[in-house]
Amino acid sequence: MDREWNDSQPIYRQLRDRVVAMILDGVLREGDPLPSVRNVAAEYRVNPLTVLKGYQELVDEQLVESRRGRGMFVNAGVRDLLMRDERRKFLAEEWPRVSATIQRLGLNAEELLHDAASANGRPLPEPAPNAAEKEPKK
């Protein structure tokens, strides 16, 4: 987990979001225990009640379960559920802004895929020129 907190939302909510990210990234898998409240509180220098409140949100959302005397554990099927929710959220909230920027910059899908692959170290063939670039210059 990242050790930095921001002021945009409460720390317990940021903790909740970080656990969700760990599940989506495969760091925490179904059946895995969450780090103990005491360990997280000590490591990140936050109040144990703050950690507990973040974990309780995960329990309330049925993403993890509390096993008395044993800790909190990731529920089965939670990654797929989170993936669906995060995709829906991305398409509803973030994609419209991304799409508008793509259109504003005049980018096409081929250019985006080429540049994304290059940035990740996987070279692709050069994209075809835009229709405007194909026209002979006068």
Side-chain angles (χ1 to χ4, degrees):
M1 276 194 260
D2 187 12
R3 295 184 191 283
E4 298 297 316
W5 306 110
N6 63 56
D7 294 333
S8 65
Q9 58 179 269
I11 291 174
Y12 77 88
R13 185 70 184 174
Q14 293 177 60
L15 277 167
R16 178 252 177 231
D17 292 346
R18 289 177 186 184
V19 172
V20 166
M22 291 171 69
I23 294 169
L24 288 170
D25 292 342
V27 175
L28 288 172
R29 300 183 190 282
E30 296 176 1
D32 282 354
L34 298 187
S36 77
V37 169
R38 287 183 185 162
N39 287 346
V40 173
E43 187 172 342
Y44 297 99
R45 304 178 90 172
V46 295
N47 189 311
L49 293 175
T50 301
V51 178
L52 192 57
K53 188 170 182 177
Y55 279 11
Q56 187 59 48
E57 282 211 344
L58 295 165
V59 171
D60 293 345
E61 295 172 40
Q62 298 179 346
L63 301 177
V64 301
E65 66 176 333
S66 176
R67 298 181 190 162
R68 187 177 209 120
R70 297 191 55 217
M72 307 272 189
F73 293 82
V74 178
N75 281 335
V78 113
R79 187 173 188 279
D80 292 336
L81 175 69
L82 285 171
M83 194 66 82
R84 276 194 308 274
D85 287 348
E86 290 297 312
R87 285 177 178 163
R88 181 192 47 73
K89 184 175 160 185
F90 172 79
L91 290 172
E93 297 173 11
E94 295 180 45
W95 179 248
R97 288 190 305 272
V98 171
S99 179
T101 301
I102 289 169
Q103 289 177 354
R104 187 172 36 258
L105 297 176
L107 297 170
N108 64 42
E110 196 172 338
E111 289 173 310
L112 291 169
L113 291 173
H114 179 269
D115 290 346
S118 295
N120 291 324
R122 297 181 312 232
L124 290 176
E126 284 297 317
N130 287 337
E133 294 172 358
K134 289 181 184 178
E135 294 178 19
K137 294 183 181 177
K138 298 179 185 176

